[in-house]
Every structure is written in structure tokens, then in C-alpha cells.
Amino acid sequence: SELEKLAVPMGIAAATDDPVHPVEVGVEWMTAAPRASLRTVTLDELGADPAVLGAACVSALLEA
């Protein structure tokens, strides 16, 4: 319910194959926040280049 009150844009990045931090949570956050966007990566992409997570977040934020 707190995310529903968020007035600023929100960029969300999530790994589609992360069992500890399920992508479904990112989808829930995106749905709840009025100005949110989601980008996804895989754990293989993240392992090869950790910067992909930040890039995904920035990309999502720019669309939010």
C-alpha cells in the first residue's frame, strides 16, 4: 500500500531466474507504484557483467 502513494518515478530491475528474489515481486511493485517500470535480466547476465543490473534500473527509471 505504501508503493501506491509513491509520487516519484520508480525503476525496478529483477532477475527472471533468481529464486531468492523472485521476479514476481518486481512485477507486484511495478503494478502497485503509479509511475513504475520494470526491466529484467538473468543471473547469467548479471554474473558476466554486474553493471547490467544498474543499467536495467536506469533504463526502467527513464521509462517510468
Side-chain angles (χ1 to χ4, degrees), residues 6-64:
L6 190 64
V8 297
M10 179 177 172
I12 304 163
T16 56
D17 54 350
D18 185 344
V20 177
H21 306 95
V23 71
E24 291 81 12
V25 174
V27 172
E28 288 176 21
W29 290 5
M30 181 190 67
T31 303
R35 297 179 59 200
S37 183
L38 172 71
R39 292 288 179 277
T40 60
V41 298
T42 66
L43 291 179
D44 283 342
E45 291 172 324
L46 182 58
D49 180 11
V52 300
L53 193 60
C57 242
V58 170
S59 175
L61 182 60
L62 292 173
E63 186 179 294

